[in-house]
Amino acid sequence: MGAARSARSRPARSGSARSVRRRGAPPRAGAGAVLAAGALLAAGACGVADAGESSVARKDSLVVGVNSDQPGVGQRVGGGHQGFDIDVAKEVARRLGVPPENLTFKQVGYATRDSMLRSGKVDLVVASYSITPERKTRVTFAGPYYVAHQDILVPASDTSVKDVHDLKGKRLCKVPGSVSFPRVHDEKGVAALPVEAGGYAACVAEMSAGRMDAVSTDDLILAGLAAQAAKDGRGRPPRFVNAPFSDEPYGIGIRKGDLDGCEAVNKAITEMYQGSTMRDLLAKWFGDTTLKVTTTVPQFEGCD
Amino acid sequence: MTAVQQTPATGTAATASGAPPARRGPSSIRPRRTPPPARKGLARTLPRTVAGRVRTLTALALALLLGLLGAAWWAVASAREGVQVIGYDAGPQVVATGDLYFQLTEMDAQLADALLIGGAPGGGRDRALAAYDRSRAKAGEALLQAAKLADEYTEDTTARELVFALGRYERLATQALDLDRRAGHTSGAPPQNVVLQYRAATDLMKLDLLPKAYNLTLDNGTLVRHTYEDRRSDVLDGRTLILVTGVALLVVLVGLQVYMAARFRRTLNPALALATLLTLVLTGVSAVMLSGQANHLRDAKDDGFDSILALSRARAISNSANADETRYLIDPGRADSYEQVFLSKSQTVLYLKAGNLNEYNQAVQKGLDFERGRVPFLGFFGTEASRSTDGRQRGALVKVLEEYRRFQANDRRMRDLVNGGQRAQAVAAHDAAAGDYVRYDKSLQSLIEAHQAAFRAAVADGEGGTEGWYGVLPVAGVIIIALTLIGVRPRLAEYRWSR
């Protein structure tokens, strides 16, 4: 368009008959059109690339939201984080092509996980984050990378508890704000006696001290605590009842709509199960307990 | 007075210069001897004579036309490829692999049935085993298809692991059946050693085979999504390119028309006017056609492919939940666990907040009415209800929800009987509800069929929309070129004559 206008309005120099039939002009004009078209295409390609930049599949560095208060799963120790979730995050990041030095962990809480993903403060959330239909309306989930179950931990000496119904009349730990006790008491209708504690670590300590009979929440969290108790050498490690009564699919939270990122993370998880990575990680963090872990890949949620 | 004006083509200056230069005779176009003002950069490359400008504009018009045709050709090719992949190649193949999950759940369900029925008269066990064999054959076919679609190492490995796991499952199933035959039990829960053997088989199915089958279809589906997104964005980029080059071409053609009208004192150049009109039509019609193509691709993907796949999953998961009722009856030791997975599968299909199955059933029975923009439930059916606009799909969904409520009500009745200690009546109630389940499954199939119809329609529209365009584009191009040249040539000839 610009070329056409200037060709028309520019003052011509002199009326040489030879120049009337100049050969040079048409190819140049053609080149101009090709250039214009090229520029347009490039602009289009840039648009696509920009959209891709924000996908976790193509980032050079990642900030991962994790828990900091769950021994064996996600715990802040000294200056760093450690636990099963942390190792899973490291493996996923490595498979996404992010070197360890570009990986940062940031503490997230139950209430802040969704909003921190949305605002971009964290790129991924790996924090025993159960996939639920309600959360799926706000967050895209890769995985689950593990399906935890609500299970029961009892002292090693106990032989009376075989499933959740046997908790009737037993002193069961109740952590305010957690859904685990209500699930036993209200949903399963088992009349367990509540004994309050400030957190699941405190529950296990209280049980070791004989002040309660059982602790019930996600098996991985219990296993982390039991492994910790065994390491600390506080008597015989507690026993898993291994009678799960809920599914807690732990997903990796990603900004809503990042399908490329979700697919890439799913691929990473698949690889971790196809090799020995997952088996090794589960053995590393929970192998010292009597929890029966699943070492086959979970059924994914799907990214859309 | 010189033939070549230094003023712009339009305005009084041009007319003041008099008639077209050709009428002045050879002397008048002789180069002026006075040195022209020095021109710099690009300006030096611009033509200095009327004929030169006309030629340049014409060449520019032809180049833009080629650009326009090229963009249109590329966009049409992208649209056709998108329709081909989604409508005929990967799309239907991925849907076929979705059948793998269903057939696997069906195998495990039939095995549970065979064990529950045992050697009871009526040949129920043989029927269940025949159905088992049919499902196994279909599962094999779907697995083969999925392996063919695998385009990444991880997918390939998943398919291979599925083959191995299926072999292990078959062995465990055979052992369970052998033990059951030897025990010679008739209807009802089989003996403990049979139950333990069945647990090993069904655990393998649940923890190993089904997740992998599900994930494999998800992986295969990404292929379709990528093709869809790439081709659709190509079509939309092509449309932008056509609009830009088309408008540029129109400006050049109109400019040429105006310039020649001014310089040669013609009111209208009919050939050029026709070329302009044709360009306008070509640009407009191509842009409209490509918008249509983008929509057809979206309909085929969202309304067709995605919905079909999602509803097939809902159907497979429902089937597996139905089998969990049988497992609940077979294996009282795991009744809690089977009840819990039944709830979790039900909530995947249709999500309502509920802590236990009883609450869930109450919520479902309260009613599943929905309207656009206000869908009170989530899960597969929630998604379907939110996007359902088409009357036939909506009607089919309402029917599905009705049957789903009955399915859940039957489940409650069966469990209440078990809880009341009437296990035999519970088994009978479960058998009696089989017809209701089949009706639910049928209603779900007709909902899937409604989406398949939408899918076929979108694919047919997509195909029809680009039909003949490979012919239209070159023909339109040749006509526009010819008209442009016809319009310009006599004017240039005047110069040639004058030489």
Side-chain angles (χ1 to χ4, degrees), chain A residues 88-112:
Chain A
V88 167
K90 284 179 183 164
E91 285 289 338
V92 167
R94 189 169 69 77
R95 287 174 161 82
L96 292 178
V98 176
E101 62 271 21
N102 290 354
L103 182 64
T104 328
F105 292 108
K106 195 178 245 176
Q107 183 187 336
V108 293
Y110 275 94
T112 59

Side-chain angles (χ1 to χ4, degrees), chain A residues 12-13 15 21 40 165 187, chain B residues 29 36 48 241 336 356 499:
Chain A
R13 212 214 239 124
R21 287 180 282 113
L40 193 81
H165 300 287
E187 296 176 4
Chain B
I29 55 161
R48 281 159 290 187
L241 206 52
D336 265 358
N356 57 42
R499 185 172 46 174

Side-chain angles (χ1 to χ4, degrees), chain A residues 10-13 15 19-22 28 40 133-134 165 187 245 260 263 267 271 274 296 298-300, chain B residues 29 36 39 45-46 48-49 51 53 152 154 158 207 214-215 222 225-226 241 336 340 351 355-356 499:
Chain A
R10 284 286 177 137
R13 212 214 239 124
S19 74
V20 169
R21 287 180 282 113
R22 259 178 29 181
R28 263 198 299 278
L40 193 81
E134 287 113 340
H165 300 287
E187 296 176 4
F245 52 92
D260 285 345
E263 283 169 7
K267 185 165 179 259
E271 283 173 3
Q274 285 177 352
T296 47
Q299 183 163 313
F300 291 156
Chain B
I29 55 161
R39 300 199 308 171
T45 67
L46 293 171
R48 281 159 290 187
T49 63
R53 289 178 195 172
E152 279 185 3
T154 44
T158 302
L207 294 175
Y214 197 86
N215 295 356
T222 63
R225 182 175 79 78
H226 288 148
L241 206 52
D336 265 358
Q340 199 271 317
Y351 181 82
N356 57 42
R499 185 172 46 174

Side-chain angles (χ1 to χ4, degrees), chain B residues 31-91:
Chain B
R32 205 167 48 174
R33 286 300 156 219
T34 42
R39 300 199 308 171
K40 286 178 192 143
L42 260 177
R44 213 180 303 163
T45 67
L46 293 171
R48 281 159 290 187
T49 63
V50 172
R53 289 178 195 172
V54 169
R55 276 168 202 276
T56 305
L57 284 177
T58 308
L60 187 61
L62 295 188
L64 283 170
L65 178 63
L66 288 182
L68 173 67
L69 294 176
W73 190 279
W74 173 64
V76 166
S78 297
R80 293 190 74 88
E81 194 198 328
V83 168
Q84 180 67 30
V85 171
I86 295 173
Y88 295 100
D89 299 343

